[in-house]
Amino acid sequence: METSFEERLKQYGRVGRYLEKASAFHCDVNCRLFLGHLGNHLLNAADYHSSDRGFGMRSLNKINKTWVLSRLVIEMDEMPVRYENFYVETWVESAMRYFTNRNFHVQSEDGRSLGYGRSIWALIDTETRQPTSIMDIRDGELANWVEPTRECPIPKPGRVKMSSDAPLVAEIKAAYNDVDVNGHVNSVKYIEHVLDLFPIDFFRQTMLSRFEIAYVAESYFGDTLRFYKEQTGETEYEVRITKVAEDGAETECCRSMLRFK
Amino acid sequence: METSFEERLKQYGRVGRYLEKASAFHCDVNCRLFLGHLGNHLLNAADYHSSDRGFGMRSLNKINKTWVLSRLVIEMDEMPVRYENFYVETWVESAMRYFTNRNFHVQSEDGRSLGYGRSIWALIDTETRQPTSIMDIRDGELANWVEPTRECPIPKPGRVKMSSDAPLVAEIKAAYNDVDVNGHVNSVKYIEHVLDLFPIDFFRQTMLSRFEIAYVAESYFGDTLRFYKEQTGETEYEVRITKVAEDGAETECCRSMLRFK
């Protein structure tokens, strides 16, 4: 028998908190956790949090609905170092009809703040791939999970202001390891491909302090992905990813912004 | 004060056992853990096991020595499915002067055998990059950690029998996400690049039952890596990876064998 909202709230609370580890081979040349792996920990936290509270992917898939990540922002003061344990906290900031805002707080094991994340998720129908109302799930119960008291002191995702003539800097074909259980190129893989456009000395000499990505259209195994990269500020870059159809037409898949310090 | 061998043996035993999870976004289009991520779990298990017992990377690095993975074989009957917890057991099969054999057993949470792994590690001096004697560490104590009673019922790594005219099928430049804390292309990344040479239907229709890789020479950020691939049996493929020097000379970095069933 399904548990009531009150029972789940009592058991889990509104904020999820998960202990993770920066494992040895998930760390970069600076001995710091790769941003892609941190992103993966945030997405896992979102999955655990929503599953425990009755609106996770697996239960939604049974009613032909799923969450689709629309935006992700990560802003870090400090990245976990190799072998460091850290906590990922996550909560729902707000729930609209078609979108929900979920925030993250990354903390060291002893409670020091390392950084924050913001994400926006759409609920879609897995058959039509069209947006579907969040308020139809359990009579709009998601609104009751909103945690209004927790702050997320980083700016919301901005508007990417790339010019239309940003140069093409790389082209790849989406391969086996890019594609997740849904058959789509995985959200984290786009992050990795974007970071791979930068020389390693960038990561040795500066720190990636803010990363934003907007997921616009899905891409699939075998798709040709093109990367357009532009410097938009002294320490700021933007990258647009498109997929190329057989007739050569390009569709935008992602836009991202990176700020180093 | 350092603990004695007897105390460590009493505390940890000779076999390490670690609970892992096939997390959502570490699974492929079949909802099964990617081999690269499984490989990463095995390497982590090796790291935890050796660190607890006093001969881990971190303590060896302080005396300018490090472990280098020379061979890895993974043979699976079944890959963990999405969200499945599984155990990785690991132990030292034998220790010679310059090499040690470490085995792995992957089990489901309820104790069913999922598959096995074998690995060979060399100890090198981090300054000269030359082999150094394992028997010089703690008066050859590693020999006392050998676990003679555990079986590993999969064949030892074989000899890769590629012809010299195997076709070149891909070329990439080693990028930021390929490179680990040592500045080398990470062992697991080679595995991922090898698997990315196969169409996704291969993984949908067949199961990769045995994967072998021999690490011959290290490669670094920015190196051009070339992949030569050849079908060597009905369900067997071999892949050689080379790096290309500025003068065009090629050095072999890895050789690998894949068997599907």
Side-chain angles (χ1 to χ4, degrees), chain A residues 203-248:
Chain A
F203 301 98
R204 283 209 179 101
Q205 292 155 6
T206 60
M207 189 200 151
L208 178 59
S209 60
R210 182 173 169 98
F211 182 88
E212 279 188 31
I213 186 163
Y215 298 100
V216 182
E218 289 159 350
S219 68
Y220 307 90
F221 176 83
D223 279 352
T224 297
L225 301 179
R226 288 191 182 151
F227 297 79
Y228 297 88
K229 179 180 156 196
E230 190 176 46
Q231 186 163 4
T232 50
E234 202 186 330
T235 57
E236 209 176 278
Y237 293 81
E238 295 190 352
V239 175
R240 181 193 295 131
I241 310 176
T242 66
K243 61 179 174 184
V244 189
E246 280 185 14
D247 64 2

Side-chain angles (χ1 to χ4, degrees), chain A residues 23 25-26 28 31 34 40 43-44 47 58 82-83 175-177 179-181 186 192 196 200 203 221, chain B residues 23 25-26 28-29 31 34 40 43-44 47 58 82-83 175-177 179 181 186 192 196 200 203 221:
Chain A
S23 73
F25 307 103
H26 284 178
D28 73 359
C31 262
F34 278 113
N40 190 51
L43 299 188
N44 280 336
D47 191 28
R58 274 178 292 182
R82 182 164 60 147
Y83 297 115
Y176 168 65
N177 278 285
V179 173
D180 67 16
V181 296
N186 175 253
E192 294 179 352
D196 279 346
I200 205 160
F203 301 98
F221 176 83
Chain B
S23 74
F25 307 103
H26 284 177
D28 73 359
V29 72
C31 262
F34 278 114
N40 190 51
L43 299 187
N44 280 336
D47 192 28
R58 275 178 293 182
R82 183 166 58 147
Y83 298 115
Y176 167 65
N177 279 285
V179 174
V181 296
N186 176 251
E192 294 179 352
D196 279 346
I200 205 161
F203 301 97
F221 176 84

